[in-house]
Amino acid sequence: MKDKITSDLMRPVFETGAKYYLTVTVLAGIVLWGLFAWIYQLTFGLGVSGMKNSVAWGLYITNFVFFIGISHAGTLVSAILRLTNAEWRRPITRIAETVAVFALFLGGIQIIFDLGHPDRVLDVIIYGRYQSPLLWDITCIGIYLMSCIFYLYLPLIPDIAALRDNLPVNIPGWRRKFYHKLSIGWVGSEKQRRYLHKVLAVMAVAIIPIAVSVHTVVSWVFGMTLRPMWHSTIFGPYFVTGALYSGIATVIIAMAVMRKAYNLGSYMKSIHFDNLGKLLILMVCLWFYFIFSEFLTTGYGTFLYELKVFHSKVSGEFAPIFWGMVSCMAAAFFLLLFRKRLGVIGATTLASVFVNVGMWLERFTIIVPSLTKPLQEGYKAGLYQPTWVEWSITLGSFAGFALALSIFYKLFPVVSIWEEKEEEDIPQVVKRIETYLPSEETG
Amino acid sequence: MKKQEKKKVGRRNLLKLGSMGIAALAATEAVKRIQATEKIITAKRKMAMVIDLRRCYGCHACAVSCKSENGVNLGAFRSWVNQVEIGKYPYFKRYFLPRQCNHCDRPPCIKVCPTGATYKREDGVVLINKDRCIGCRYCMTACPYDARSFVWHRRSVTGGRGWRTLERYESLDFPARRYGVVDKCDLCVHRIDKGLVPACVNTCPAEARIIGDLQDPNNEVTKIVSTRAVSVLYSDANTGPHVFYRGLHIDVAEKAVEVGPAMQSISSDRSAAQNI
């Protein structure tokens, strides 16, 4: 009694190929290697990283900002598109929401890697002081994580119920129980549907300001200090823009991967990539606008301390990273501009890879150069050279992110089945379009 | 039926009251915590230091005595001397600038500390509670004077640093060497509480450093600070530093960043030590 959409989208959940096991094994191997590096660091101390007194924050904080940034995809793509009734969102929302949740987890863990005393992490809550921007971070990220999990779970309930009702015979008992428990008695009645739509609408509105607050306070961790080129009012919107930018790019990459892996070409069509590509062009323009404002204001001025950081980025020791970032973004821009000629899906995906590499480099160039040039430099000197420990933990985090997503998409459908199937919406959409058109009545 | 409805309303009200109560408690707790840390300290004693740069001849004895007094970790200093050359041959001069924590009135490091591990004592000394510090190093990025350092290496199970065995100097135990926490000048509180002067003041052969109580009008430090031309480092930050300099050349204050040759060799020694 399964229709085509249901069977198409459910097949990957129940049928597992050798390639999947290979992918999971490789990813788990990288995660284990990262775990080993972390244990090594715990044993010998943070000194095994490249961080030193002159550069107290390095790759871990870079990853933290990057991952928290990625998590904004979930809100934008899912919540904003849901609110504006953008019908093309249907195959994308699930991916966006999962990316948000797992990116938040991975971002939060980075702080634990970075602490000198990870065993005292609870002290932040027990003795927490609200003057510290770190407390703002913990509050906002905590609320955002809970809302993201809720926002992922809500539209998942009808799908879990569908899975529960369509389980093949040979499925192990724990999975049967798992879906049964998680579906919390969903039968798809009129009342349940009404409630679901209501709660989803409320959540979609509520989650947007929470998401904006999250990356704003992440930027304020830097903005509230007196460091040159950190102490800037532009940081809040600048970080939020960058976050949405890399978040959309990550959603595109995840879509391209899942499309290939699960053979979902007829669901994630080039129109979806094209539309997301348009959003990405908007964000890349905004990003260039922000970075131009930031660097013009700093470079035009004569403020000694800021100029030092400015020159180290533009022409000094950090120039390769800075210009690498700019060229990544320029490459992404031109790929997106000519995406129709180059093949929409390929060009958009490649541009997204460039965007994410560029954004990671951006986080790095924001954090490290300002640390090497304090206001009143003391005895500390030396550049930052990340060690194998930091690279391993970074690689392990990215692998962990991919692993979490691949396991999740093995347990749950990667595309929201019930939202794809909402055929009853079609007459509603027609009716809605009619309201956009000029009416015959007097207006 | 009626009874049930009544019960329902009661539960809802209870929840409402309860959540309101929790919110109110949280709010008062937050206000209390902010008041406790932002309160302007009015104590009997207010420690301050005056460094007379006209007397300093750059012997680095303060840096050495500080290290031996406090057992500061390898590669870190609580007190150090910057040197700057200003002018062009033949009209040039080398200036020295002894540096340390400024024990600010409005310390940016205390503002950002998430756990209150770094705090200001009644007499104005900024200290670190090493049992509370989580090692996030936010204070290091917030300090405009670059006065804080971190203990990066844990003493491993072999009793060494990594695979290496410890030098004799490193093998001794000092609070300044506790792993995973931030360290900085504490104005030798263990000495000043007993009526002694800090190690750097005690050792300075040029008598360029004096320490005293700003609340005492007859104190030497108070007299100098209130009647002589003294300056502080990066006064724009308005952090209210309590290390005052006499005879601070404006270019020295700004260019202290251009590390002189002696400091460069110390820096490279330091990085060599760290890379072992």
Side-chain angles (χ1 to χ4, degrees):
Chain A
M1 276 302 287
K2 278 197 272 185
D3 52 291
K4 190 178 171 304
I5 295 177
T6 313
S7 62
D8 264 7
L9 295 176
M10 272 190 192
R11 196 182 318 113
V13 177
F14 300 122
E15 288 170 23
T16 310
K19 267 188 192 162
Y20 175 78
Y21 287 116
L22 187 71
T23 319
V24 167
T25 316
V26 170
L27 288 176
I30 301 173
V31 171
L32 282 180
W33 175 252
L35 217 58
F36 165 73
W38 186 39
I39 291 166
Y40 183 85
Q41 178 184 291
L42 285 176
T43 319
F44 291 132
L46 272 173
V48 297
S49 73
M51 289 185 281
K52 45 186 96 177
N53 284 333
S54 54
V55 185
W57 283 349
L59 285 199
Y60 302 140
I61 300 291
T62 306
N63 293 339
F64 163 71
V65 181
F66 180 75
F67 273 119
I68 301 287
I70 282 181
S71 76
H72 281 55
T75 1
L76 181 93
V77 178
S78 177
I80 296 181
L81 297 186
R82 239 186 255 272
L83 279 177
T84 51
N85 285 321
E87 302 300 334
W88 57 275
R89 68 162 198 274
R90 291 173 192 275
I92 302 169
T93 48
R94 176 73 40 81
I95 288 186
E97 287 149 12
T98 41
V99 163
V101 169
F102 292 119
L104 271 177
F105 270 116
L106 265 300
I109 291 173
Q110 300 299 323
I111 295 296
I112 308 281
F113 297 147
D114 191 63
L115 288 185
H117 270 286
D119 50 310
R120 293 181 189 165
V121 72
L122 279 182
D123 283 12
V124 177
I125 293 154
I126 303 168
Y127 306 109
R129 299 163 66 251
Y130 258 99
Q131 292 97 312
S132 173
L134 289 188
L135 258 284
W136 312 347
D137 259 29
I138 287 163
T139 311
C140 290
I141 293 174
I143 294 173
Y144 187 49
L145 179 62
M146 283 189 282
S147 348
C148 274
I149 292 172
F150 194 48
Y151 191 58
L152 167 68
Y153 178 59
L154 277 176
L156 203 58
I157 298 170
D159 281 6
I160 297 172
L163 283 173
R164 176 198 63 194
D165 299 338
N166 288 309
L167 284 178
V169 212
N170 58 347
I171 205 91
W174 67 268
R175 261 182 101 172
R176 204 171 285 277
K177 215 182 251 172
F178 177 70
Y179 291 126
H180 192 83
K181 278 264 155 62
L182 274 183
S183 64
I184 52 168
W186 176 272
V187 287
S189 69
E190 189 56 35
K191 197 176 165 196
Q192 284 179 333
R193 274 175 181 274
R194 207 173 59 237
Y195 276 133
L196 180 68
H197 279 287
K198 216 176 206 172
V199 179
L200 264 181
V202 171
M203 278 306 290
V205 176
I207 209 166
I208 293 170
I210 299 173
V212 172
S213 80
V214 166
H215 225 64
T216 309
V217 296
V218 166
S219 82
W220 283 347
V221 168
F222 307 104
M224 293 301 142
T225 66
L226 293 167
R227 290 263 160 183
M229 283 194 87
W230 277 8
H231 191 58
S232 152
T233 49
I234 206 175
F235 258 40
Y238 179 32
F239 269 52
V240 172
T241 306
L244 294 174
Y245 185 30
S246 57
I248 296 169
T250 311
V251 170
I252 293 174
I253 294 171
M255 273 171 67
V257 172
M258 294 324 290
R259 184 178 183 273
K260 263 257 147 35
Y262 284 2
N263 237 338
L264 294 172
S266 53
Y267 292 88
M268 296 166 190
K269 298 182 193 172
S270 65
I271 175 84
H272 301 114
F273 285 86
D274 190 45
N275 281 350
L276 284 174
K278 280 178 198 157
L279 273 178
L280 215 53
I281 286 194
L282 170 72
M283 300 318 288
V284 74
C285 293
L286 266 177
W287 184 86
F288 269 113
Y289 166 68
F290 269 113
I291 202 131
F292 181 73
S293 313
E294 187 198 12
F295 278 77
L296 181 71
T297 316
T298 316
Y300 193 91
T302 52
F303 193 48
L304 179 77
Y305 309 98
E306 300 244 300
L307 278 182
K308 270 188 195 143
V309 183
F310 177 86
H311 286 304
S312 79
K313 286 189 195 184
V314 175
S315 54
E317 61 270 30
F318 294 102
I321 298 167
F322 178 79
W323 291 110
M325 160 190 90
V326 173
S327 12
C328 272
M329 298 310 189
F333 177 72
F334 285 110
L335 275 170
L336 287 168
L337 211 55
F338 300 114
R339 66 186 185 287
K340 286 262 160 70
R341 199 163 304 169
L342 299 165
V344 173
I345 297 176
T348 318
T349 311
L350 188 62
S352 303
V353 174
F354 273 119
V355 168
N356 267 344
V357 173
M359 279 312 293
W360 192 88
L361 292 176
E362 192 228 40
R363 306 312 193 191
F364 187 86
T365 51
I366 285 176
I367 292 162
V368 176
S370 283
L371 284 173
T372 59
K373 305 270 184 295
L375 288 169
Q376 290 282 318
E377 208 164 311
Y379 59 90
K380 303 163 186 174
L383 273 176
Y384 174 58
Q385 191 82 47
T387 59
W388 69 268
V389 178
E390 282 163 293
W391 287 121
S392 304
I393 292 180
T394 302
L395 209 65
S397 306
F398 280 92
F401 181 59
L403 183 67
L405 285 181
S406 48
I407 290 174
F408 188 88
Y409 296 146
K410 196 40 67 185
L411 289 173
F412 304 104
V414 65
V415 173
S416 183
I417 298 172
W418 68 278
E419 281 186 281
E420 281 284 330
K421 276 185 12 187
E422 270 186 330
E423 285 157 4
E424 63 264 39
D425 274 12
I426 293 171
Q428 272 181 24
V429 172
V430 173
K431 218 180 274 170
R432 188 171 350 119
I433 292 170
E434 274 168 3
T435 64
Y436 303 155
L437 299 170
S439 51
E440 281 156 25
E441 300 141 35
T442 48
Chain B
M1 195 66 200
K2 232 179 179 179
K3 215 179 178 183
Q4 257 184 359
E5 256 173 35
K6 233 182 183 175
K7 214 176 173 186
K8 229 180 190 172
V9 172
R11 191 194 292 154
R12 182 169 287 185
N13 274 342
L14 193 73
L15 275 174
K16 248 187 213 167
L17 266 175
S19 54
M20 265 159 65
I22 290 167
L25 268 177
T28 44
E29 177 66 21
V31 169
K32 235 190 261 167
R33 283 185 185 186
I34 289 167
Q35 276 175 345
T37 41
E38 291 289 285
K39 152 180 99 176
I40 294 162
I41 292 142
T42 47
K44 281 182 205 142
R45 205 164 69 146
K46 187 78 182 258
M47 300 313 293
M49 191 184 272
V50 172
I51 303 177
D52 194 337
L53 298 179
R54 301 164 307 178
R55 283 166 170 263
C56 174
Y57 47 71
C59 67
H60 294 264
C62 45
V64 174
S65 67
C66 173
K67 282 209 97 160
S68 53
E69 173 77 26
N70 298 302
V72 182
N73 207 37
L74 264 192
F77 292 90
R78 284 183 174 189
S79 163
W80 69 98
V81 184
N82 282 8
Q83 28 188 309
V84 193
E85 275 150 33
I86 288 169
K88 272 193 180 132
Y89 180 82
Y91 303 107
F92 75 103
K93 191 178 172 190
R94 175 176 286 185
Y95 289 89
F96 302 102
L97 185 63
R99 296 269 304 275
Q100 66 188 75
C101 170
N102 280 289
H103 298 281
C104 307
D105 254 352
R106 295 169 286 279
C109 52
I110 292 187
K111 231 182 193 170
V112 301
C113 179
T115 60
T118 181
Y119 62 100
K120 204 166 171 63
R121 217 169 68 155
E122 291 268 292
D123 59 354
V125 183
V126 176
L127 294 174
I128 299 166
N129 179 351
K130 301 216 166 188
D131 295 317
R132 184 73 60 84
C133 177
I134 58 167
C136 66
R137 308 187 292 290
Y138 196 3
C139 52
M140 285 173 74
T141 70
C143 174
Y145 302 104
D146 215 14
R148 288 169 169 256
S149 61
F150 187 72
V151 183
W152 296 93
H153 289 276
R154 186 194 284 279
R155 213 168 285 184
S156 64
V157 273
T158 54
R161 190 157 119 182
W163 306 114
R164 185 172 66 86
T165 47
L166 292 176
E167 304 285 332
R168 191 153 175 276
Y169 172 75
E170 294 171 279
S171 62
L172 301 168
D173 264 322
F174 279 103
R177 290 179 192 169
R178 280 181 61 181
Y179 167 74
V181 290
V182 173
D183 186 58
K184 72 164 194 71
C185 161
D186 59 2
L187 218 61
C188 283
V189 278
H190 58 287
R191 290 176 63 98
I192 60 173
D193 286 352
K194 288 182 178 139
L196 299 168
V197 293
C200 54
V201 178
N202 191 40
T203 207
C204 182
E207 294 182 7
R209 288 171 180 258
I210 34 173
I211 187 166
D213 171 19
L214 280 183
Q215 301 285 71
D216 174 9
N218 295 320
N219 192 289
E220 189 66 21
V221 168
T222 321
K223 282 183 197 163
I224 293 173
V225 168
S226 45
T227 62
R228 305 288 167 187
V230 289
S231 34
V232 291
L233 289 180
Y234 200 64
S235 53
D236 298 22
N238 195 26
T239 53
H242 272 62
V243 173
F244 298 93
Y245 293 95
R246 285 196 78 184
L248 179 64
H249 190 300
I250 182 141
D251 281 352
V252 176
E254 277 178 6
K255 285 187 189 157
V257 283
E258 279 163 24
V259 182
M263 279 316 296
Q264 258 172 13
S265 65
I266 288 176
S267 313
S268 55
D269 284 351
R270 186 191 69 89
S271 49
Q274 277 216 333
N275 287 337
I276 291 169

